[in-house]
């Protein structure tokens, strides 16, 4: 059974940083795509960033230059380093690995 364990969310002031982690267990093959989405209550879940097995990264325009996605293939873990956080980054962040979703971790940025 695949399990995604997220950590690293919390409360931070605008301009601050947080690092999210997502460790995938129960996966036999190294997944190609690993990444992050976020969702604000009442809104659709939106793409944030992804990285493939070869290290190619994609970002939403709203986070380019501020967020960095990375992965450790040996640990089946994906990270999201979030710098220069803004109040509009406040959301529940979900890890996405292959077709699986994490439980979500809250990120709150105060102004």
């Amino acid at each position: 059974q695949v399990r995604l364990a997220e950590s690293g969310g919390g409360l931070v002031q605008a301009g601050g940083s947080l690092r999210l982690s997502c460790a995938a267990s129960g996966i036999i093959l190294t997944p190609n795509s690993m990444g992050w989405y976020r969702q604000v209550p009442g809104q659709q879940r939106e793409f944030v960033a992804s990285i493939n097995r070869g290290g190619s990264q994609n970002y939403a325009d709203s986070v380019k230059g501020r967020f960095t996605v990375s992965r450790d293939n040996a640990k089946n873990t994906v990270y999201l380093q979030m710098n220069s956080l803004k109040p509009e980054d406040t959301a529940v962040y979900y890890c996405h690995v292959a077709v699986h979703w994490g439980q979500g971790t809250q990120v709150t940025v105060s102004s």
Side-chain angles (χ1 to χ4, degrees), residues 41 45 86 99:
R45 193 171 297 187
K86 304 175 181 179
V99 297

Side-chain angles (χ1 to χ4, degrees), residues 29-93:
L29 299 176
T30 300
N32 183 38
S33 179
M34 305 179 79
W36 298 90
Y37 286 70
R38 65 188 182 187
Q39 189 170 22
V40 175
Q43 298 183 18
Q44 286 191 331
R45 193 171 297 187
E46 66 174 8
F47 170 78
V48 175
S50 67
I51 182 169
N52 69 12
R53 197 162 40 214
S56 294
Q57 303 160 32
N58 284 301
Y59 296 95
D61 287 344
S62 59
V63 306
K64 281 182 181 176
R66 301 188 297 121
F67 291 11
T68 302
V69 62
S70 60
R71 62 189 285 172
D72 183 334
N73 289 333
K75 297 180 179 179
N76 274 342
T77 299
V78 61
Y79 306 95
L80 186 67
Q81 178 66 43
M82 304 185 292
N83 298 329
S84 302
L85 282 161
K86 304 175 181 179
E88 50 264 44
D89 294 317
T90 296
V92 177
Y93 283 70

